[in-house]
């Protein structure tokens, strides 16, 4: 199965060669005079990354990179395998008629970015959540053996965002809040989307810090290759460690909530994990 990492692998060698040449030029006394560095480089003791580190990457640039990665995944898919719950014709996001060519109309990177930006801005989500979103999206494609295609990319992306926000953010956005962002959706639809997404993941929503870091570095490399300007700051791992710990807790809670027989309850979802951290209802006025 084609994945986001494969496009990064394709970029790697040309990028590495350019970095070596740049280091040679920068290291040269003739080129630098008093050996004043024009750019920071990683070393064994310090790793420098873009805009406020792996734990707080720049939101706008991260969303642009995630949108580009998703565009590549759709563009390089093997087929059009999908599941009903993710099909936009069977479960439309709006009351507007679904275009007749919805299943073949390729989403542009700019279209994907606008969809991401709209959800992240309205729900006040972080750049870290965008990285976790991409992890869950690709995990679903692998586990469920489906393709990210024009017919399902929006609902799969929405489900990935919904789950990632609950795993990452201390004050998670509830399913009902997404119904205020996308006003034609129902809470029952959101709960079904979340439940089926979790089931197809086999409730594996654990994100080790090493996986998070790999996706971050891949996105950083994709940004370099795409001409997205990035600043440099030292790397920290505190939030990645927090993600690993809390995603493990969420995985256990999700399996207990959905997989085990239980008494009927209203709008069951992972949002029960955040019952004490309920965000204000006014996401959109």
């Amino acid at each position: 199965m084609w994945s986001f990492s494969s496009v990064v692998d394709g970029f790697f060698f040309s990028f590495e060669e350019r970095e070596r040449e740049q280091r040679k030029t920068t290291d040269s006394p003739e080129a630098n005079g008093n050996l004043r560095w024009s750019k920071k480089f990683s070393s064994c003791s310090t790793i420098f990354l873009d805009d406020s580190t792996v734990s707080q990457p720049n939101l706008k640039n991260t969303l642009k990179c995630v949108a580009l990665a998703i565009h590549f995944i759709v563009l390089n898919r093997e087929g059009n395998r999908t599941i009903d719950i993710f099909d936009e014709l069977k479960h439309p996001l709006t009351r507007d008629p679904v275009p007749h060519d919805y299943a073949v109309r390729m989403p542009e990177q700019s279209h994907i970015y606008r969809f991401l930006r709209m959800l992240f801005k309205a729900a006040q989500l972080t750049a870290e959540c965008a990285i976790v979103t991409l992890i869950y999206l690709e995990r679903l494609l692998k586990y469920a053996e489906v393709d990210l295609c024009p017919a399902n990319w929006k609902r799969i992306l929405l489900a990935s965002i919904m789950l990632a926000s609950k795993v990452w953010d201390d004050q998670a956005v509830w399913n009902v809040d997404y119904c205020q962002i996308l006003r034609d959706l129902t809470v029952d639809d959101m709960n079904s989307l979340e439940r089926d997404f979790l089931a197809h993941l086999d409730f594996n929503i654990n994100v080790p810090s090493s996986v998070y870091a790999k996706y971050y570095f891949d996105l950083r490399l994709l940004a370099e290759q795409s001409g997205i300007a990035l600043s440099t700051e030292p790397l920290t791992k505190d939030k990645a460690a927090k993600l690993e710990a809390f995603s493990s807790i969420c995985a256990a809670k999700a399996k207990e909530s959905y997989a085990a027989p239980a008494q009927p309850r209203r709008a069951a979802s992972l949002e029960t994990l955040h019952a004490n951290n309920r965000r204000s209802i006014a996401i959109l006025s």
Side-chain angles (χ1 to χ4, degrees), residues 247-261:
S247 63
S248 297
I249 296 172
C250 284
K253 293 288 187 180
K255 193 168 185 179
E256 178 184 354
S257 176
Y258 283 129

Side-chain angles (χ1 to χ4, degrees), residues 26 32-39:
T26 309
N32 288 281
N34 293 328
L35 292 178
R36 295 179 64 185
W37 294 89
S38 61
K39 182 178 179 181

Side-chain angles (χ1 to χ4, degrees), residues 91 102 146 193 235:
H91 299 275
Y102 86 105
V146 299
L193 182 63
L235 171 69

Side-chain angles (χ1 to χ4, degrees), residues 41 131 142 147 165 167 251:
F41 291 101
I131 297 174
K142 178 180 179 181
D147 300 298
S165 70
V167 170

Side-chain angles (χ1 to χ4, degrees), residues 50-266:
D50 54 68
D51 202 346
S52 66
T53 81
V54 69
S55 66
Q56 292 182 339
N58 176 268
L59 177 59
K60 181 179 179 180
N61 288 346
T62 303
L63 291 180
K64 284 184 176 180
C65 289
V66 170
L68 183 58
I70 292 172
H71 175 72
F72 281 135
I73 294 173
V74 177
L75 187 65
N76 292 277
R77 68 189 186 280
E78 296 176 353
N80 292 297
R81 298 170 299 174
T82 189
I83 298 171
D84 285 353
I85 191 64
F86 303 126
D87 193 312
E88 195 172 343
L89 180 62
K90 298 178 180 179
H91 299 275
L93 296 179
T94 70
R95 294 178 182 176
D96 297 331
V98 177
H100 69 279
D101 60 346
Y102 86 105
V104 295
R105 182 185 294 181
M106 278 293 301
E108 296 295 332
Q109 178 196 356
S110 59
H111 186 190
I112 299 170
Y113 171 71
R114 287 195 299 271
F115 185 74
L116 277 168
R117 184 183 61 184
M118 178 266 294
L119 290 173
F120 272 70
K121 181 179 180 180
Q124 303 173 38
L125 302 178
T126 63
E128 299 94 338
C129 185
I131 297 174
V132 179
T133 293
L134 184 58
I135 294 172
Y136 287 155
L137 185 148
E138 284 213 308
R139 189 174 294 177
L140 176 84
L141 302 183
K142 178 180 179 181
Y143 280 36
E145 297 182 345
V146 299
D147 300 298
L148 193 67
C149 59
N152 65 18
W153 73 269
K154 281 187 179 180
R155 286 184 62 86
I156 289 179
L157 182 54
L158 174 60
S160 302
I161 292 171
M162 185 165 54
L163 184 58
S165 70
K166 293 179 181 181
V167 170
W168 177 259
D169 285 352
D170 292 330
Q171 293 183 318
V173 183
W174 284 26
N175 293 355
V176 67
D177 293 329
Y178 288 99
C179 299
Q180 296 189 41
I181 300 171
L182 300 167
R183 293 184 179 274
D184 294 331
L185 293 178
T186 66
V187 176
D188 286 342
D189 185 22
M190 289 293 90
N191 290 343
S192 296
L193 182 63
E194 178 186 86
R195 181 172 57 250
D196 285 18
F197 193 92
L198 283 165
H200 287 296
L201 287 182
D202 291 334
F203 301 95
N204 179 13
I205 55 176
N206 183 39
V207 181
S209 56
S210 59
V211 172
Y212 178 89
K214 178 185 184 302
Y215 272 79
Y216 178 84
F217 281 112
D218 284 349
L219 284 170
R220 176 178 182 264
L221 183 55
L222 185 61
E224 293 276 359
Q225 292 293 328
S226 303
I228 300 175
L230 301 173
S231 60
T232 55
E233 295 291 342
L235 171 69
T236 63
K237 296 184 178 179
D238 292 345
K239 288 193 175 181
K242 166 215 163 185
L243 169 65
E244 184 170 354
F246 193 64
S247 63
S248 297
I249 296 172
C250 284
K253 293 288 187 180
K255 193 168 185 179
E256 178 184 354
S257 176
Y258 283 129
Q263 295 297 322
R265 51 187 172 181
R266 184 181 66 84

Side-chain angles (χ1 to χ4, degrees), residues 261-278:
Q263 295 297 322
R265 51 187 172 181
R266 184 181 66 84
S269 74
L270 273 181
E271 60 201 31
T272 55
L273 292 174
H274 301 272
N276 295 326
N277 292 320
R278 183 67 169 93

